[in-house]
Amino acid sequence: MQWLRRNFVVIAGLCTLAYLILPNVVVTVFSFNNPTGRFNYAWQEFSLDAWKDPCGVADLCGSLALSLQIALWATIGATVLGTMIAFALVRYRFRARGAVNSLIFLPMAMPEIVMAASLLALFLNMGVQLGFWTILIAHIMFCLSFVVAAVKARVLSMDPRLEEAARDLYAGPVQTFLRVTLPIAAPGIAAGALLSFALSFDDFIITNFNSGNTVTFPMFVWGSAQRGTPVQINVIGTAMFVIAVLVVVVGQTVGTRRKKAQRK
């Protein structure tokens, strides 16, 4: 009983982690399945056919490439705009700053379907044709708040004396920003960018409202689930999960090595 009390937090953390990873394990296992019917819900036999031909299903890789393209541009747009907004909210005092600070976080608080319906009404009233550009605009607006939150937290923790020291050493505004401010804020910017990419790539509700005839990967998965789930979907899901884990591991490793090098 004493052992359980001492290790309760660790056990609870491991159980939570297992709960979060379990769906990914199931997807990975069934990516090696060879189903007999249309649905890949029951294990039949081990097979590598889906891994050998991940684009064997019509329009799968096309929708995947479209989702990656939208996620990349949405990440760039949201990261640039969100970083500038975060610096403006922290470093400058202007009229209605409190209102802007509150409004910028509304997309995080409101349900996605509210934003999706609002954007759809806006696009229809403006006569904009639904498609790639409406999805991109909607994703940038949705991801913007998350970037602001990540970058703002990092900027608030920065020591302004470092920038003052750079200016005392005759560094100009641009040089100070590139060599002092930006490297310190980089972890927050990177976190916001990674979060934006994941949210944009994964989004279904906002995309479904504002896509028109454009089909992204989440919409392809939703449509396939009604007719039959190809194994290739599990293959793509497993690959994305592995890539995400590798990015996190590499980032943590690089950060740890930098900290050790600074201590030496």
Side-chain angles (χ1 to χ4, degrees):
M1 188 60 104
Q2 292 181 356
W3 178 87
L4 182 61
R5 290 178 179 177
R6 288 196 306 267
N7 299 278
F8 176 77
V9 175
V10 176
I11 295 173
L14 292 175
C15 291
T16 304
L17 184 62
Y19 175 77
L20 292 173
I21 295 179
L22 181 60
N24 297 290
V25 174
V26 174
V27 169
T28 302
V29 171
F30 277 87
S31 68
F32 298 97
N33 189 26
N34 185 21
T36 55
R38 295 182 303 167
F39 297 96
N40 186 25
Y41 299 148
W43 179 263
Q44 298 297 329
E45 62 179 356
F46 181 84
S47 175
L48 292 173
D49 293 341
W51 283 91
K52 293 177 181 178
D53 188 17
C55 296
V57 180
D59 298 330
L60 188 151
C61 284
S63 63
L64 175 63
L66 180 62
S67 287
L68 291 173
Q69 185 179 0
I70 292 174
L72 177 61
W73 286 112
T75 299
I76 295 173
T79 302
V80 172
L81 293 175
T83 301
M84 291 190 293
I85 293 172
F87 271 94
L89 291 174
V90 175
R91 295 295 181 83
Y92 299 96
R93 299 293 182 267
F94 52 89
R95 187 175 299 177
R97 175 174 173 270
V100 173
N101 203 11
S102 300
L103 289 173
I104 201 69
F105 293 102
L106 276 181
M108 298 175 63
M110 72 172 62
E112 276 190 62
I113 194 169
V114 176
M115 174 178 280
S118 301
L119 288 169
L120 176 61
L122 175 64
F123 291 139
L124 292 178
N125 289 329
M126 295 178 61
V128 179
Q129 184 178 0
L130 300 179
F132 176 87
W133 292 107
T134 55
I135 297 174
L136 180 59
I137 293 171
H139 282 201
I140 291 175
M141 293 184 66
F142 174 63
C143 297
L144 191 60
S145 298
F146 296 91
V147 177
V148 173
V151 179
K152 185 180 176 183
R154 183 66 179 178
V155 175
L156 285 171
S157 65
M158 292 172 56
D159 189 352
R161 291 176 296 182
L162 296 174
E163 294 170 303
E164 294 174 1
R167 288 193 291 267
D168 291 339
L169 295 172
Y170 303 101
V174 176
Q175 192 175 16
T176 301
F177 178 79
L178 294 177
R179 297 199 173 186
V180 179
T181 307
L182 188 59
I184 297 176
I189 297 174
L194 291 174
L195 185 58
S196 295
F197 186 88
L199 290 171
S200 177
F201 180 83
D202 180 62
D203 183 77
F204 172 77
I205 297 177
I206 294 177
T207 305
N208 189 35
F209 272 73
N210 299 279
S211 61
N213 295 324
T214 306
V215 179
T216 61
F217 183 69
M219 296 181 64
F220 178 86
V221 174
W222 175 74
S224 299
Q226 302 178 43
R227 304 185 303 270
T229 309
V231 185
Q232 283 80 358
I233 290 178
N234 297 65
V235 172
I236 300 299
T238 301
M240 296 299 295
F241 173 71
V242 172
I243 292 172
V245 172
L246 290 177
V247 169
V248 173
V249 171
V250 171
Q252 292 290 338
T253 303
V254 172
T256 302
R257 289 182 177 178
R258 285 183 178 178
K259 289 181 180 179
K260 290 182 179 179
Q262 291 175 356
R263 292 174 182 175
K264 292 180 181 180

